[in-house]
Amino acid sequence: MPVLGGLWAQDLGLRDPGQGVGADVTAGVTPNEEDEGPPSPVWGPLGSSPVTCGALSLALELPALLRQLRAAWRARRGGPRGPEQGQTPGAWRVEVEELGQDAEEKSAQRAADGILARGHAGVLLAERRGSYPLIDLRILNTNVQQGVLEAGSRRSVKRQLSFQRYCHASRLLRGQVPRGPGSLHLLDHHYLGQATHMLSKVGTWNFDIFLFERLTNGYSLVTLMCHLLNVYGLIQHFHLDMVKLLRFLGMVQDDYHSHNPYHNALHAADVTQAMYCYLKESKLAELLSPTDVFLGLLAAAAHDVDHPGVNQPFLIKTGHHLASLYQNTSVLESHHWRSTVGMLRESGLLSHLPLCMRQDIEQQLGSLILATDISRQNEFLSTFREHLNHQSLDLHQAPHRHFILQIALKCADVCNPCREWNLSRQWSERVCEEFYRQGDIEKKFALEVSPLCNQQEDSVPSIQIGFISHIVEPLFEEWCRFTEPSPLSHTMMDLLQQNKTCWMGHRYCGADLPYHWSKCGYQ
């Protein structure tokens, strides 16, 4: 609506930094919900004057706001949909302004009466990372035992999502939503609903990380890490400061690039959830120390931080400074590790620990992250196979436990083909989309197109069949040997074969391609 751009251009800046679009969306609330009291705002203190754009108040309830938008649109267009017959445009515009002022006064009065609850102060407004709009978890009245939403709550969520998707997609309103830990209500009594219900099942293999991403307002990684560290008692064990912890996890989340289709914070959250499932295996659970678990979860969360969305060969042939810095060896993995260490030191998360202990954690963290380099796949796989053949693994020894953590992280990093089809397919499409984007860049600048990055030659089914056959199957066959007897491993192998069969059914006729997985540089 270009007319609205002119109408709101003068006063587009928000007056209250603690508020945002849709701060009091109450449309669709059932009578039962109204009896329980007015809904809490999604964010921000409303003690100051309400947010306005031009003559319109954004603190209005959704129906009133839509009526004002519709009226403003008709007024600017004129004609049959303009002012009512017998009423001049000037007089109508005065009524709109009076209506906006009345709405502002009513909103201010409601705030003064304490009807609108105060939220976290100082929440900065910026464009959200991620693809989904903000969801207020507090309107999800969930029956935790049955896991079913009430019909009224379903309507409320659906209407709110529709409005917020519009706000997120609109060029006019984009960026006017809150982000930051203050809007998440992490680990407090406001954190209710489906997200809590899902966290109770975070150890199951069919965990839907895409749904969890939506329910946590795009902060699945921060929320998941807080929960898992609390489940293992690591916050108390290491005497971690919660403020520093949230700061560090927020830095990790923000340093992932949301514009990457695959290597983003959602992938990190998925790997973290898989790592948690592997740490629960009976062969490991009783022998891992708190430091082992802390390192495993931390490495999973940060293993791809600040990933540029292209592979190592691309960085080398374009003369990127990271390739020069790390001498063309494990370039991306080294950068992920160094970035993580920098955030640990900047946040001061481990500053209270002895220096020798901090240095040991940093070095072991680097060893785990560097193990995700896919060019070292055969090296780790042959060592793992040799240990299993000779039954030489002794998990009472710290070096052997660390090696198993490396293998577990490698498995978690490439476990997408072992998920249920509806989840596995989404990850496959995302990673191929990232490949194709790199190929388009290489074509644009007349560079040699990297293997698997040519959308015209490399189909998604062919890429996935090659990936499963050459990378995933050999690794998980040995992991299954190690964890035997393990119901989870058998489930993963069954799903892997089913997904491979599905991709073979979708494969284009004659779409054979040379597989160069050891050289593609993705991790």
Side-chain angles (χ1 to χ4, degrees):
M1 295 187 292
V3 177
L4 291 181
L7 178 65
W8 290 6
Q10 305 177 29
D11 195 15
L12 190 58
L14 299 182
R15 299 178 183 175
D16 188 343
Q19 303 178 66
V21 175
D24 186 26
V25 179
T26 57
V29 177
T30 61
N32 292 334
E33 293 172 336
E34 292 177 353
D35 294 339
E36 296 175 359
S40 301
V42 179
W43 61 78
L46 296 177
S48 58
S49 59
V51 180
T52 60
C53 287
L56 305 181
S57 172
L58 299 188
L60 294 175
E61 295 182 354
L62 180 57
L65 176 59
L66 293 180
R67 284 196 297 272
Q68 286 198 25
L69 288 173
R70 193 178 297 112
W73 172 255
R74 292 175 179 172
R76 299 293 293 221
R77 286 190 61 186
R81 296 188 180 184
E84 297 181 1
Q85 189 174 7
Q87 189 176 15
T88 63
W92 183 88
R93 198 170 291 115
V94 170
E95 284 190 12
V96 172
E97 293 176 356
E98 291 176 354
L99 178 60
Q101 292 174 1
D102 291 341
E104 292 180 14
E105 293 174 1
K106 291 179 180 179
S107 298
Q109 183 62 37
R110 292 173 68 189
D113 292 341
I115 297 178
L116 296 177
R118 294 179 178 271
H120 296 277
V123 178
L124 297 178
L125 297 178
E127 186 172 358
R128 289 187 68 247
R129 292 178 180 267
S131 305
Y132 300 99
L134 184 73
I135 303 177
D136 184 7
L137 301 178
R138 288 167 289 178
I139 70 172
L140 295 176
N141 295 328
T142 307
N143 186 331
V144 177
Q145 294 181 351
Q146 299 179 358
V148 179
L149 284 174
E150 296 177 2
S153 296
R154 288 181 184 274
R155 289 194 294 270
S156 298
V157 174
K158 184 176 180 180
R159 293 180 182 180
Q160 187 180 19
L161 282 177
S162 299
F163 179 66
Q164 290 176 343
R165 284 196 182 98
Y166 164 73
C167 292
H168 185 66
S170 170
R171 287 184 297 176
L172 177 63
L173 301 177
R174 184 176 297 150
Q176 309 305 319
V177 288
R179 61 186 289 264
S183 63
L184 292 179
H185 309 291
L186 287 176
L187 302 179
D188 63 21
H189 64 281
H190 291 298
Y191 190 60
L192 304 173
Q194 279 190 338
T196 302
H197 180 63
M198 288 193 69
L199 282 176
S200 67
K201 299 183 178 181
V202 70
T204 59
W205 189 244
N206 61 350
F207 188 83
D208 189 343
I209 197 66
F210 297 101
L211 175 59
F212 190 68
E213 171 82 352
R214 296 192 290 271
L215 292 174
T216 54
N217 306 334
Y219 279 81
S220 57
L221 181 59
V222 176
T223 310
L224 184 62
M225 278 295 292
C226 283
H227 175 74
L228 295 181
L229 292 175
N230 189 54
V231 165
Y232 277 108
L234 297 175
I235 297 176
Q236 294 78 14
H237 179 83
F238 290 102
H239 304 288
L240 300 180
D241 183 283
M242 280 302 299
V243 174
K244 293 180 179 179
L245 176 61
L246 287 176
R247 183 187 180 197
F248 168 73
L249 294 177
M251 292 167 65
V252 172
Q253 171 101 27
D254 291 342
D255 269 17
Y256 278 98
H257 299 179
S258 60
H259 58 263
N260 290 342
Y262 182 80
H263 289 104
N264 49 39
L266 183 59
H267 165 66
D270 182 64
V271 172
T272 303
Q273 190 271 334
M275 189 67 170
Y276 174 61
C277 292
Y278 299 155
L279 295 178
K280 290 175 55 185
E281 289 282 17
S282 57
K283 286 285 186 70
L284 290 174
E286 297 181 358
L287 297 175
L288 293 176
S289 68
T291 302
D292 295 330
V293 176
F294 181 67
L295 285 169
L297 295 176
L298 193 59
H303 79 284
D304 273 335
V305 71
D306 199 30
H307 195 291
V310 294
N311 60 15
Q312 176 174 297
F314 181 89
L315 298 179
I316 293 175
K317 67 185 176 184
T318 56
H320 196 275
H321 73 277
L322 289 177
S324 302
L325 178 63
Y326 298 111
Q327 300 179 350
N328 300 340
T329 304
S330 297
V331 175
L332 289 171
E333 294 77 19
S334 298
H335 178 59
H336 304 325
W337 169 38
R338 293 298 183 183
S339 299
T340 305
V341 171
M343 288 183 287
L344 278 172
R345 295 179 179 180
E346 182 179 347
S347 64
L349 179 63
L350 306 178
S351 59
H352 61 288
L353 300 178
L355 177 61
C356 60
M357 188 175 183
R358 294 202 304 269
Q359 293 176 340
D360 183 60
I361 289 177
E362 292 175 357
Q363 291 299 320
Q364 291 194 61
L365 188 62
S367 177
L368 290 173
I369 294 177
L370 289 173
T372 61
D373 186 353
I374 203 169
S375 65
R376 301 178 62 191
Q377 176 79 1
N378 292 334
E379 170 192 342
F380 279 94
L381 187 58
S382 60
T383 303
F384 191 31
R385 187 178 290 122
E386 183 178 351
H387 275 302
L388 294 177
N389 291 338
H390 294 86
Q391 298 182 353
S392 57
L393 279 173
D394 182 5
L395 297 185
H396 293 90
Q397 300 181 25
H400 287 195
R401 292 199 306 272
H402 184 78
F403 175 75
I404 290 300
L405 286 178
Q406 290 177 313
I407 298 297
L409 181 57
K410 290 178 67 66
C411 289
D413 193 23
V414 298
C415 71
N416 303 146
C418 300
R419 299 283 192 179
E420 293 183 348
W421 170 252
N422 64 320
L423 302 177
S424 178
R425 178 184 56 80
Q426 294 183 66
W427 287 119
S428 301
E429 293 172 351
R430 283 170 174 253
V431 72
C432 290
E433 173 62 22
E434 193 164 299
F435 290 170
Y436 297 152
R437 287 188 183 184
Q438 175 179 324
D440 292 341
I441 296 174
E442 291 169 333
K443 291 178 183 178
K444 180 178 180 181
F445 292 97
L447 299 172
E448 180 184 359
V449 179
S450 300
L452 314 177
C453 296
N454 192 329
Q455 188 170 3
Q456 283 67 43
E457 299 179 4
D458 306 325
S459 66
V460 176
S462 295
I463 291 175
Q464 290 306 306
I465 292 171
F467 180 58
I468 292 173
S469 300
H470 293 78
I471 298 295
V472 183
E473 275 184 337
L475 180 60
F476 277 88
E477 284 173 357
E478 302 305 322
W479 179 258
C480 189
R481 285 178 59 194
F482 167 70
T483 57
E484 185 70 25
S486 168
L488 174 59
S489 293
H490 288 292
T491 298
M492 290 191 298
M493 294 303 295
D494 291 342
L495 291 172
L496 181 63
Q497 295 304 319
Q498 294 173 19
N499 292 336
K500 185 177 180 180
T501 302
C502 287
W503 285 122
M504 293 179 69
H506 288 82
R507 187 175 183 177
Y508 299 131
C509 296
D512 296 326
L513 66 145
Y515 298 116
H516 303 288
W517 287 103
S518 61
K519 300 179 181 179
C520 72
Y522 279 93
Q523 71 277 19

